[in-house]
Amino acid sequence: VTVRQVDVRAGAGDYPVMVGRGLLRRTAEVVAGRVPGVRRWAVVSDSRVAPLHGRIVHSALEAADLALDLLTFPAGERNKTRTQWADLTDRLIAAGLGRDGGVVAVGGGVTGDLAGFVAATFMRGIPVVQVPTSVVAMVDSAVGGKTGVDTPAGKNLVGAFHPPRLVLVDPDTVGTLPRPERAQGWAEAVKHGAIVDAAYLDGLAERAPALLDGDPETVLEAVLRSIEIKAGVVGDDEREAGRREILNFGHTVGHALEAQSGYRLPHGSAVSLGMVLEARLGEALGVTDAGTSDHLARALERFQLPTRLDGPGGAALPDALLLRDKKVRDGVLRIVFLARPGEVAPAPGAPAAWAHPVDRESVRSVLGPEP
Amino acid sequence: VTVRQVDVRAGAGDYPVMVGRGLLRRTAEVVAGRVPGVRRWAVVSDSRVAPLHGRIVHSALEAADLALDLLTFPAGERNKTRTQWADLTDRLIAAGLGRDGGVVAVGGGVTGDLAGFVAATFMRGIPVVQVPTSVVAMVDSAVGGKTGVDTPAGKNLVGAFHPPRLVLVDPDTVGTLPRPERAQGWAEAVKHGAIVDAAYLDGLAERAPALLDGDPETVLEAVLRSIEIKAGVVGDDEREAGRREILNFGHTVGHALEAQSGYRLPHGSAVSLGMVLEARLGEALGVTDAGTSDHLARALERFQLPTRLDGPGGAALPDALLLRDKKVRDGVLRIVFLARPGEVAPAPGAPAAWAHPVDRESVRSVLGPEP
């Protein structure tokens, strides 16, 4: 089995992302080699992933006498809560996990965020290994060290930076996902191409059928390139003080659309719409080359992702939702724009600023109802 | 007003501890100078400290247009919970605190730990300024970056390392404490002398009457020396991988005694007993110079702290309680011993090890009932 590796720089020390087919069954040897100080690993998975992949990881660790329990929680974003975090923590304590223990998070973004936050706060922090099994977790959430839970007031309002000690990606797990969920994940990969690598963007569009099918070799190459791109960005700026902001492309509008829908609009669809609309806004403001939004829309449509606000929800995107964005400073909305496909446009003035201040009238003119 | 300063090294950046009489009223200017990026500070205090000192800090910030709310929670260690943490977090969100906000923790150890953990996890971490107003918080808990809450299974099982951006110490606040609480705090200062500085240890004993009275000038000098000692130790070893263990002197036995009492024995009393008993154990094992335990006991008695296990609780200290200690490895109890007053004894074998493995029989022979 060939294993490919990307190293991610982090304040607390670099960590490797290892990508290879069939890696789940080799969890024990990789973990023992890379994080030798940990005596017992607790595996955390949701109720959907535990029987598919969680137990494979747990069995591999058990065979090497490195396993504690396999803990499961009910699947779904609505369980990414402080209550579930406290419950998992108490179960780890009851199982006897100590300061010389660690957590392996096996699953999608919710599992990585929740189990990562459990590890971040367990006896003031124990190692976590991320084993993303969804496309979005592989290309996005498992790398970068963000962990956390939602509160009634909003998503990810409580959390911590807790970089994993190791990320294990087995592209074979993508085959078990429902097809629409795969499509959702590729939206973030398209974003990576859009901000950094036009050839990757076009390559994704070309290979969309195989990627939607979950063909492991095609998935492996795409995931690897996305991780390289994300690792390059977060390695320079772990805590989102500067260049990490470019990963927010598509997300200012995307998050607002998600909130507007009461979180019924899936995240990938929201980001897909957000990228096209932010590109259109950038074109209207003269920051983004003409044709960029159409270029993105064509790529996203290959993944059957939405690119037009024709639905009833699209008629009016209230300013208030946009102004909740974390990049807002002094009440001014700030958005990351592309210069063209594969390249972001630096913000005026500051050499290391990437989010452009935008007046609300311009936003309204673009985000109004379609003709 | 003279302000004295100690700088503490931390992984995320150094921070200053500023010590001076009347500093509380100058919170705004110090905070604005030292943590200029923060637009709004929320002040967190318990129900006892808020009317005494919390509102002074809040008023000072308000006058400089830097204040958000003054949030209070019910005083007492039993409120250092995840529930209280979630409640404070939700109130901060409701008050409009954002990623450009910060938390000022004004109070004793419980407030510092709880409000520090709120700041550590608020939107993945916002700055915290620690304003310790009890002796134990000044000499011990406000410096070092440990934050957290208790769970039903034990103390500080959930938490994070989140070094403050600034620590403000105003020794005038010590005058408002009940006298027995001051005595409790000086136990940790005696420990600092015991492990690092025999002259400081003896100076504390000599000045015990003024320190118990809360005389501000005497308090200032003692607090400053304790902070220097603690800063020197934690600066080398923020995450307790090595030398920070020496701060555990007196705490292996002390924590067990606390647990045995159902946490009715106050922490300072437990550490006082723990230091004398660990010194006696060290003498019995030939690691600690004869007479060290008596030397410590004389100093601690000047603060009216307990030094003898004559009570009914002293008759038998179950192994199980000692084995809960975080320094236990592979079921072996490990204890930090003094060589003599002012100096710890390095553990055999490892050059950077400070906790000595101890067999349970030796422990039982010393911790058995007094003759």
Side-chain angles (χ1 to χ4, degrees):
Chain A
V1 181
T2 311
V3 178
R4 315 261 293 267
Q5 183 173 333
V6 179
D7 290 314
V8 186
R9 281 196 303 280
D14 295 2
Y15 56 91
V17 182
M18 305 184 70
V19 185
R21 295 189 60 185
L23 256 189
L24 289 198
R25 290 176 202 284
R26 294 173 50 199
T27 301
E29 71 180 84
V30 180
V31 156
R34 294 288 173 164
V35 200
V38 172
R39 292 172 53 83
R40 291 281 163 189
W41 293 94
V43 180
V44 177
S45 255
D46 73 23
S47 50
R48 206 180 63 173
V49 173
L52 292 170
H53 311 303
R55 70 175 186 186
I56 292 176
V57 169
H58 184 255
S59 298
L61 289 165
E62 205 162 42
D65 205 23
L66 284 170
L68 198 77
D69 263 351
L70 168 59
L71 302 186
T72 64
F73 67 94
E77 174 94 26
R78 71 178 177 285
N79 296 304
K80 206 178 107 176
T81 59
R82 289 174 290 200
T83 306
Q84 200 55 249
W85 160 80
D87 186 57
L88 286 168
T89 299
D90 290 342
R91 287 158 69 195
L92 290 176
I93 294 170
L97 198 73
R99 282 154 60 107
D100 55 357
V103 170
V104 183
V106 183
V110 169
T111 301
D113 285 3
L114 175 60
F117 188 49
V118 169
T121 55
F122 193 85
M123 300 185 181
R124 300 199 190 93
I126 58 174
V128 65
V129 168
Q130 294 284 358
V131 183
T133 61
S134 71
V135 174
V136 69
M138 289 178 184
V139 302
D140 188 23
S141 53
V143 172
K146 289 187 178 180
T147 73
V149 296
D150 304 331
T151 83
K155 288 176 72 173
N156 297 316
L157 290 178
V158 168
F161 280 93
H162 189 58
R165 296 286 293 277
L166 169 70
V167 182
L168 281 184
V169 180
D170 182 344
D172 286 355
T173 61
V174 169
T176 65
L177 297 169
R179 189 181 175 90
E181 201 179 311
R182 284 198 287 264
Q184 290 296 316
W186 295 120
E188 296 284 355
V190 169
K191 183 195 74 180
H192 292 140
I195 58 175
V196 168
D197 183 345
Y200 175 51
L201 169 67
D202 294 340
L204 284 168
E206 200 176 296
R207 292 173 189 88
L211 294 169
L212 284 173
D213 285 344
D215 172 68
E217 296 294 344
T218 316
V219 167
L220 189 149
E221 294 300 332
V223 161
L224 202 62
R225 181 65 191 129
S226 264
I227 290 170
E228 280 173 0
I229 291 172
K230 181 155 186 191
V233 174
V234 303
D236 293 335
D237 176 28
E238 193 178 13
R239 285 183 183 260
E240 208 158 15
R243 189 157 182 263
R244 189 166 179 160
E245 274 192 341
I246 71 173
L247 295 170
N248 263 279
F249 173 62
H251 281 65
T252 306
V253 170
H255 282 149
L257 291 169
E258 266 184 300
Q260 189 183 35
S261 76
Y263 294 94
R264 279 182 298 275
L265 183 67
H267 183 69
S269 296
V271 170
S272 177
L273 285 163
M275 288 192 281
V276 175
L277 291 169
E278 290 181 10
R280 198 178 302 159
L281 182 55
E283 292 174 31
L285 293 168
V287 177
T288 304
D289 285 358
T292 301
S293 62
D294 286 345
H295 189 134
L296 287 179
R298 280 193 301 274
L300 292 161
E301 279 157 11
R302 299 265 297 161
F303 290 96
Q304 287 139 41
L305 288 162
T307 58
R308 294 168 60 87
L309 277 187
D310 338 271
L317 189 59
D319 287 9
L321 290 178
L322 283 163
L323 289 170
R324 278 198 206 166
D325 190 81
K326 61 193 172 188
K327 295 184 298 304
V328 168
R329 298 275 184 278
D330 301 320
V332 177
L333 189 62
R334 292 160 72 249
I335 296 182
V336 172
F337 289 121
L338 300 186
R340 60 194 61 80
E343 192 180 334
V344 291
W354 303 96
H356 300 241
V358 180
D359 68 290
R360 301 191 204 176
E361 276 313 312
S362 306
V363 174
R364 277 194 208 105
S365 71
V366 171
L367 299 185
E370 305 258 299
Chain B
V1 182
T2 312
V3 177
R4 315 260 294 267
Q5 184 173 334
V6 179
D7 289 315
V8 186
R9 282 196 302 282
D14 295 3
Y15 56 92
V17 182
M18 305 184 70
V19 186
R21 296 188 60 185
L23 256 189
L24 289 198
R25 291 176 203 285
R26 295 171 50 197
T27 302
E29 74 181 80
V30 180
V31 156
R34 294 288 173 163
V35 201
V38 173
R39 293 173 51 84
R40 291 280 164 188
W41 293 94
V43 180
V44 176
S45 255
D46 73 22
S47 50
R48 207 179 62 171
V49 172
L52 292 171
H53 311 303
R55 69 174 186 188
I56 292 175
V57 169
H58 184 254
S59 299
L61 289 165
E62 206 162 41
D65 206 23
L66 284 170
L68 198 77
D69 263 352
L70 168 59
L71 301 187
T72 66
F73 67 94
E77 174 94 26
R78 72 178 175 287
N79 296 305
K80 207 178 107 178
T81 60
R82 288 175 289 199
T83 307
Q84 200 57 249
W85 160 80
D87 186 58
L88 285 168
T89 299
D90 289 342
R91 288 157 69 196
L92 289 177
I93 294 169
L97 198 73
R99 281 154 61 107
D100 56 356
V103 170
V104 183
V106 183
V110 169
T111 302
D113 285 2
L114 175 60
F117 188 49
V118 169
T121 55
F122 193 86
M123 299 183 182
R124 298 199 191 94
I126 59 173
V128 65
V129 169
Q130 294 283 358
V131 183
T133 62
S134 72
V135 174
V136 68
M138 289 177 183
V139 302
D140 189 22
S141 53
V143 172
K146 289 186 178 179
T147 73
V149 296
D150 305 332
T151 83
K155 289 176 70 174
N156 298 316
L157 289 178
V158 167
F161 281 92
H162 190 58
R165 297 288 293 275
L166 168 71
V167 182
L168 280 184
V169 180
D170 182 344
D172 286 356
T173 61
V174 170
T176 64
L177 297 169
R179 189 181 174 90
E181 200 178 313
R182 283 197 287 265
Q184 290 296 315
W186 295 120
E188 296 284 355
V190 168
K191 183 195 73 181
H192 291 140
I195 58 175
V196 167
D197 183 345
Y200 175 51
L201 170 66
D202 294 340
L204 284 169
E206 201 177 295
R207 293 174 189 89
L211 293 170
L212 284 173
D213 285 344
D215 172 69
E217 295 294 344
T218 317
V219 167
L220 188 149
E221 294 300 332
V223 162
L224 202 62
R225 181 64 190 129
S226 263
I227 290 170
E228 279 173 2
I229 291 172
K230 182 155 186 191
V233 174
V234 302
D236 292 335
D237 177 27
E238 192 178 16
R239 284 182 185 259
E240 208 159 14
R243 190 157 181 261
R244 189 166 180 160
E245 274 194 341
I246 71 173
L247 295 170
N248 262 280
F249 174 62
H251 281 65
T252 306
V253 171
H255 282 148
L257 291 169
E258 268 184 299
Q260 190 183 35
S261 76
Y263 294 94
R264 281 182 296 275
L265 183 68
H267 183 69
S269 296
V271 170
S272 177
L273 285 163
M275 287 192 282
V276 174
L277 291 169
E278 289 181 10
R280 198 178 302 160
L281 183 56
E283 291 174 32
L285 294 168
V287 176
T288 304
D289 285 359
T292 301
S293 63
D294 286 346
H295 189 133
L296 287 179
R298 281 194 300 275
L300 292 161
E301 279 157 11
R302 298 266 297 162
F303 288 97
Q304 288 138 39
L305 288 162
T307 59
R308 293 168 60 87
L309 277 188
D310 336 272
L317 188 60
D319 287 9
L321 290 178
L322 283 163
L323 289 171
R324 279 198 207 165
D325 191 80
K326 61 192 173 189
K327 295 185 298 304
V328 167
R329 296 276 185 280
D330 300 322
V332 177
L333 189 62
R334 292 160 73 250
I335 296 181
V336 172
F337 290 121
L338 300 186
R340 59 195 60 82
E343 194 180 332
V344 291
W354 303 96
H356 301 241
V358 180
D359 67 289
R360 300 191 204 175
E361 276 313 312
S362 305
V363 174
R364 278 193 207 105
S365 71
V366 171
L367 298 184
E370 303 260 299

